[in-house]
Amino acid sequence: MSRAWLIGAGPGDVELLTLKAARTLALADVVLVDDLVNPEVLQFARADAQIVYVGKRGGQSSTPQHEIVATMLDHLRAGRSVARLKGGDPFVFGRGGEEQQALQAAGVHVEIISGITAGIAAPAAIGIPVTHRDHAQGVVFVTGHGAGEHEADWRALAATHMTLVIYMGMRRLGDIVDALLDADMPPDTPCAAIESATRPEQRHVAATLHELVRRVTDAGLGSPSIVVIGGVASLATSDASSPQPAP
Ligand code: SAH
């Protein structure tokens, strides 16, 4: 009987892959890989495994969700076991839930292998704990991607006084910061943005809410980045962005 797995590949650093993910990858006949996954992770796949790249980055062309599921089902029905590798954790903003539903609807049981999500690993990479007794009693993971009816209620989130960890927030960072300032979040609230966390090219800025957009723009920070907003961001180990030498 062929098996299906949804596997979290972690945030980037290959050593942040779980032992279970590495062991499971070695069982798969076919591996479907998202574009945020560090290709080094594929060292754990079998040499004869078929590797299929299915990018899925906001705003860029990518394999449609239904095609990814259809590809998985084709392989499964042909008796091949399929590992679906996603960045971070497969159930945090990775559409893993949707893929599980689609596979279940087709009668396939899919095993979930959790990964370390960027929303925890990226802040940690610069010394920021997402909770801390002195700063935040909780943490909210939220997407900055939504607009219109999918827009988060930034006023309600500001009122929680919890750490806000924003995924996919760079494109709309200006709007998000404006919404939080409108909601009376103090302009001197500590913030950080971390790009390509846990990878060699990692860089970040730490700034107040008031200065965040300017500092991010000056540093040229883009995707993939995690934005952290709240008192915990004052624990960032350095406030300097670290530009990389040109390749
Ligand atoms: N399932 C993933 C998230 C997928 S959504 C996870 O659990 O981490 C994609 C977003 O994740 C990116 O836009 C970015 O906000 C964040 N992200 C993923 N990897 C990252 C990294 N190495 N550094 C910073 N942000 C990252």
Side-chain angles (χ1 to χ4, degrees):
M1 172 66 185
S2 54
R3 294 166 74 183
W5 302 274
L6 273 178
I7 303 178
D13 180 350
V14 71
E15 297 209 303
L16 293 175
L17 188 76
T18 67
L19 292 173
K20 188 160 186 171
R23 188 177 56 72
T24 306
L25 265 177
L27 301 175
D29 298 310
V30 183
V31 184
L32 277 78
V33 188
D34 265 2
D35 55 5
L36 277 178
V37 171
N38 183 348
E40 282 178 45
V41 164
L42 295 172
Q43 68 185 273
F44 298 106
R46 287 206 324 262
D48 64 340
Q50 184 181 338
I51 310 292
V52 184
Y53 292 91
V54 286
K56 187 159 266 306
R57 214 46 176 274
Q60 288 168 29
S61 66
S62 58
T63 312
Q65 194 69 34
H66 66 269
E67 274 184 34
I68 295 174
V69 171
T71 303
M72 291 178 74
L73 288 173
D74 284 348
H75 287 297
L76 288 164
R77 286 177 181 141
R80 292 184 281 270
S81 53
V82 177
R84 175 79 173 98
L85 250 188
K86 290 172 166 291
D89 183 90
F91 273 3
V92 180
F93 300 124
R95 303 210 195 179
E98 290 167 47
E99 287 180 23
Q100 176 182 247
Q101 283 176 302
L103 291 167
Q104 276 174 348
V108 173
H109 170 69
V110 57
E111 296 169 54
I112 310 302
I113 300 183
S114 300
I116 298 179
T117 190
I120 293 173
I126 60 163
I128 299 176
V130 291
T131 69
H132 185 296
R133 274 205 298 175
D134 297 340
H135 295 284
Q137 275 53 57
V139 52
V140 178
F141 294 126
V142 58
T143 172
H145 188 59
E149 60 178 310
H150 299 296
E151 178 82 34
D153 184 343
W154 297 106
R155 176 168 294 278
L157 293 179
T160 64
H161 300 288
M162 291 189 185
T163 305
L164 303 183
V165 171
I166 305 172
Y167 292 69
M168 297 170 278
M170 295 306 265
R171 237 177 336 146
R172 300 190 56 244
L173 190 60
D175 293 340
I176 293 167
V177 167
D178 286 348
L180 292 171
L181 290 170
D182 277 354
D184 297 325
M185 186 178 271
D188 62 354
T189 303
C191 301
I194 310 103
E195 181 191 86
S196 299
T198 79
R199 293 187 177 227
E201 64 271 25
Q202 170 182 313
R203 51 197 201 124
H204 74 276
V205 301
T208 61
L209 184 62
H210 170 64
E211 286 190 331
L212 182 64
V213 174
R214 184 178 61 76
R215 294 284 307 282
V216 160
T217 308
D218 287 354
L221 246 56
S223 182
S225 290
I226 286 287
V227 178
V228 190
I229 298 178
V232 291
S234 66
L235 301 176
T237 43
S238 150
D239 70 352
S241 67
S242 35
Q244 296 295 303

